[in-house]
Amino acid sequence: MCWRCAAASCGRQIFRRCADAVSLAAARTPDPPVLRRPGERGLACVSAVLGWLGAAVLGLLFAIVMLAVLRRYLFGAGLIWSDELAIWLNVALVALGMPLAATSALSMRLDVLVRLLPGGGQRLAAILADAIAVHGALVIAIGGAGVAALVGGTSTVLGLPESLRFAAFATGGGLTVLLLLWRAALDRSVAAALASLLLGLGLYLAAQSTTGLSLTTPSLVAALAAGIGLLIGAPLPFALLAGVSLSGPFGGMLPEPAIVQNTVSGVSKFLLLAIPFFLLAGELLTAGGLAERLVRFAASLVGHWRAGLAQTALVASTLFSGASGSSVANAAFGAKVMAPALVARGYPPANAAAIVAGVSMLDNIIPPSIAFLILAAATNLSVGSLLVGGFVAGAVLVPALAIGIHLSIRGVVDTAPKASAGERAKSFVGALPAIGLGVVVVVGIRFGVVTVTEASALAVAYALVVCLALRSLDFAGVGRALRSSAGEAAAVGLLIGASAPFAFLLAVDRVSEHMAALVTAFGGGPYAVMLLANLVLLVAGLFLDIGAAILLLAPLMLPVAIAAGLDPIQFGVILVVNLMIHGLTPPLGILVYVVSGITRVPAAAVFRAVLPLLASLLAALAVLCLGAAAWPSLPPSIKELF
């Protein structure tokens, strides 16, 4: 099959499936069965209403930010109320999506170990996991209501009562308890749901009690409780909240109202608005069929190489990184489109799935990157500088993956005739609309033309205008993209908010000092610190989601790196690369589970098949680390060249 035929075949698959490809991200399950029971229909109806309300909030949020951007650049004056209103809407978006983030595939549950248990053990673990989730949701619901009743005053710009933000979270927490128990009753039994409720109430009451014990580091209790919750399959954000709550009887410095205040403050940052916008831009490009053009262009460049279709997947993922910013979204897209094409070309299913998972990690490295936005929000590092560092890291990782693919593919005849210059030019012109989005965003941020949030809103506007102009997307498709993006953004926002009180507890317990002692155990020089920091990250990444790992570890490790003379931007980029590699490692391995769930290839087989790519990525990480460690000792004249 020639490269044009292969690309056309991929294109037809994309056109048919792109409308739901990204919505299957975060280890999504197959299409749901027909709903027969009234309870199932009722739960689906409530979930749909919450989803569409979230979509409406996201649409309004985009309209407000775009209005402010247009007024600023066309008339030289902004809207003084736009930033604060946008932040409040983001809080509302997270509150609306909170129940879905606990009961859907967006819940960030680690069920690898639970699957190893016998049937009875799995049922017990599910009851306990839901109990922990109920506890976390009750903290938000009751604590939010308490803060809303106590807080006074109005916002400076909007003139709205400050209590509204906390009331929104209280409502979201209450709905989360309802949907959690509703889901448990349908999936298991009413008795199981009642058991989860009673256990959750028991944990909540235990967290309000006093033990007379005052530990020097109560954050250890929080970490232990959250870790147990994570291992038995509780949703990660609610496990974090429950862990912080349970540290109270042991001397924890965060009472329930303070937990909620920290959580709401964690999502009340203007920079974080870029996350839902970048997710939406990627959704629109995929649903609008522009990703098809990227695949065609990639095939024209490398389709004639050895393992040509696998290399096409790598180049297409690299190009799509400039538009998506979400590795999970890219993994879902590749699993629906590229993996079947690879299998049809003769690749073993496990190898095809491993290739898709491996190349998908680039989306959180090559700008725009949601991981870099989270890192900037946690550490106040420059987003523009992090984006430049992401390009440098991508320039090392992409060749490493290409070499890994070349060396690991055996027994597959996969070459195509070399494309002519005219064919490459034609495919490049077709891909320009999608490539242009990444260029506009990164250039605008790097040279200070627009802020990160403004750039993300412009990316949505760009994708929307291009797709509608090309008539590749209708308004119904826009609505589906809004709904899917709103759900994903709410899940990410909830994780950021839930990590805030946990990070505060770590700071109060001066865990950073213990971390500094661990990282400098072999000395305080840049090489020793870089080595031990990466070892700590490699271990932590085995058990922590990348977002939670960034939020919890980056503020602790960055001061140590700076004290050792390492450049903070370079260290931040290496931190993200290190943690993204864990998208391919057990037990979490989110990218592997996304691809495995969609392709129906056992995760264990994909983990084995991805080992050669994992080795190439670790080698690339070593190169980046050596360069960053050597940077402080380089002469100024050489540094100026970069």
Side-chain angles (χ1 to χ4, degrees):
M1 182 184 294
C2 69
W3 70 267
R4 286 172 292 182
C5 296
S9 175
C10 290
R12 287 191 292 271
Q13 293 182 61
I14 295 170
F15 186 78
R16 291 196 303 268
R17 303 181 183 184
C18 63
D20 62 343
V22 180
S23 65
L24 293 171
R28 290 169 173 76
T29 56
D31 293 337
V34 177
L35 303 176
R36 296 184 176 90
R37 291 181 292 174
E40 291 177 336
R41 291 195 295 269
L43 180 60
C45 181
V46 173
S47 300
V49 169
L50 290 173
W52 284 113
L53 285 175
V57 171
L58 179 56
L60 180 59
L61 181 60
F62 167 68
I64 289 171
V65 174
M66 274 306 302
L67 180 62
V69 171
L70 293 175
R71 183 175 174 84
R72 173 184 169 187
Y73 290 100
L74 295 181
F75 303 103
L79 299 172
I80 60 173
W81 48 267
S82 61
D83 288 5
E84 187 167 345
L85 180 57
I87 290 173
W88 282 48
L89 287 173
N90 190 46
V91 171
L93 177 63
V94 175
L96 284 169
M98 192 184 303
L100 303 180
T103 57
S104 71
L106 299 169
S107 59
M108 304 182 191
R109 293 176 183 261
L110 175 63
D111 58 356
V112 180
L113 298 180
V114 174
R115 293 177 184 176
L116 302 178
L117 299 174
Q122 291 187 21
R123 289 189 291 272
L124 178 60
I127 292 173
L128 294 174
D130 282 347
I132 292 174
V134 167
H135 177 195
L138 286 174
V139 170
I140 292 293
I142 300 175
V147 176
L150 294 174
V151 71
T154 59
S155 67
T156 306
V157 177
L158 298 176
L160 297 174
E162 287 285 353
S163 60
L164 287 179
R165 289 187 298 160
F166 303 102
F169 256 58
T171 303
L175 287 173
T176 300
V177 173
L178 174 63
L179 265 65
L180 274 168
L181 299 176
W182 197 340
R183 181 77 273 168
L186 290 173
D187 289 348
R188 293 181 290 278
S189 66
V190 174
L194 182 60
S196 295
L197 174 60
L198 293 176
L199 286 172
L201 284 171
L203 289 172
Y204 178 82
L205 294 175
Q208 313 305 313
S209 65
T210 57
T211 63
L213 298 176
S214 183
L215 302 179
T216 55
T217 54
S219 58
L220 288 176
V221 176
L224 180 62
I228 293 174
L230 181 63
L231 290 176
I232 63 175
L236 176 56
F238 297 97
L240 291 174
L241 291 168
V244 174
S245 174
L246 288 169
S247 71
F250 300 93
M253 298 297 292
L254 282 177
E256 187 177 273
I259 294 175
V260 177
Q261 286 179 314
N262 272 270
T263 303
V264 174
S265 297
V267 299
S268 299
K269 298 178 181 179
F270 190 70
L271 173 64
L272 297 179
L273 299 182
I275 294 176
F277 290 156
F278 279 134
L279 288 172
L280 179 56
E283 286 272 6
L284 291 171
L285 284 184
T286 305
L290 294 186
E292 168 193 357
R293 301 174 180 227
L294 292 176
V295 174
R296 288 177 177 171
F297 177 50
S300 73
L301 295 177
V302 298
H304 60 284
W305 290 6
R306 182 169 176 265
L309 193 56
Q311 301 290 0
T312 296
L314 171 60
V315 175
S317 182
T318 304
L319 295 173
F320 193 62
S321 299
S324 169
S326 169
S327 290
V328 171
N330 196 3
F333 166 77
K336 292 289 286 185
V337 176
M338 293 305 301
L342 287 165
V343 173
R345 188 66 66 88
Y347 290 79
N351 289 95
I355 290 168
V356 169
V359 302
S360 296
M361 64 89 61
L362 295 171
D363 282 69
N364 263 329
I365 307 298
I366 299 175
S369 162
I370 291 175
F372 284 147
L373 294 177
I374 296 175
L375 177 62
T379 60
N380 294 320
L381 291 175
S382 166
V383 176
S385 298
L386 286 172
L387 295 183
V388 174
F391 278 120
V392 175
V396 177
L397 293 169
V398 171
L401 283 169
I403 294 171
I405 291 173
H406 180 84
L407 296 178
S408 63
I409 300 303
R410 292 285 186 270
V412 177
V413 180
D414 178 21
T415 56
K418 186 175 182 179
S420 66
E423 290 167 334
R424 288 181 176 177
K426 183 178 179 181
S427 62
F428 173 70
V429 172
L432 270 178
I435 297 173
L437 185 145
V439 173
V440 168
V441 169
V442 175
V443 171
I445 295 173
R446 182 67 183 92
F447 291 97
V449 179
V450 291
T451 67
V452 177
T453 302
E454 290 173 344
S456 63
L458 288 173
V460 174
Y462 177 98
L464 189 61
V465 169
V466 169
C467 291
L468 292 178
L470 294 175
R471 298 183 179 179
S472 59
L473 186 67
D474 56 16
F475 288 103
V478 173
R480 289 191 296 270
L482 279 168
R483 181 182 174 186
S484 178
S485 302
E488 292 179 5
V492 175
L494 180 61
L495 175 61
I496 293 172
S499 299
F502 202 100
F504 179 85
L505 196 61
L506 293 176
V508 170
D509 287 351
R510 304 171 72 178
V511 175
S512 58
E513 295 181 6
H514 302 290
M515 182 68 70
L518 177 63
V519 174
T520 58
F522 293 160
Y527 287 96
V529 168
M530 183 64 74
L531 173 62
L532 286 177
N534 274 279
L535 291 176
V536 170
L537 291 170
L538 285 171
V539 173
L542 293 172
F543 307 103
L544 285 176
D545 171 83
I546 179 174
I550 290 173
L551 292 163
L552 298 177
L553 296 179
L556 301 178
M557 303 185 74
L558 191 62
V560 184
I562 295 174
L566 295 169
D567 182 87
I569 298 297
Q570 294 175 1
F571 184 80
V573 171
I574 288 172
L575 182 144
V576 170
V577 172
N578 185 309
L579 294 173
M580 274 310 305
I581 289 175
H582 285 292
L584 307 174
T585 61
L588 285 178
I590 181 63
L591 298 179
V592 169
Y593 286 113
V594 169
V595 176
S596 171
I598 295 174
T599 61
R600 302 295 186 272
V601 179
V606 182
F607 278 125
R608 288 193 296 269
V610 85
L611 286 176
L613 300 185
L614 188 60
S616 65
L617 289 171
L618 290 173
L621 175 63
V623 171
L624 291 171
C625 291
L626 288 174
W631 181 263
S633 60
L634 293 178
S637 57
I638 296 180
K639 292 182 180 180
E640 290 176 359
L641 297 176
F642 298 93

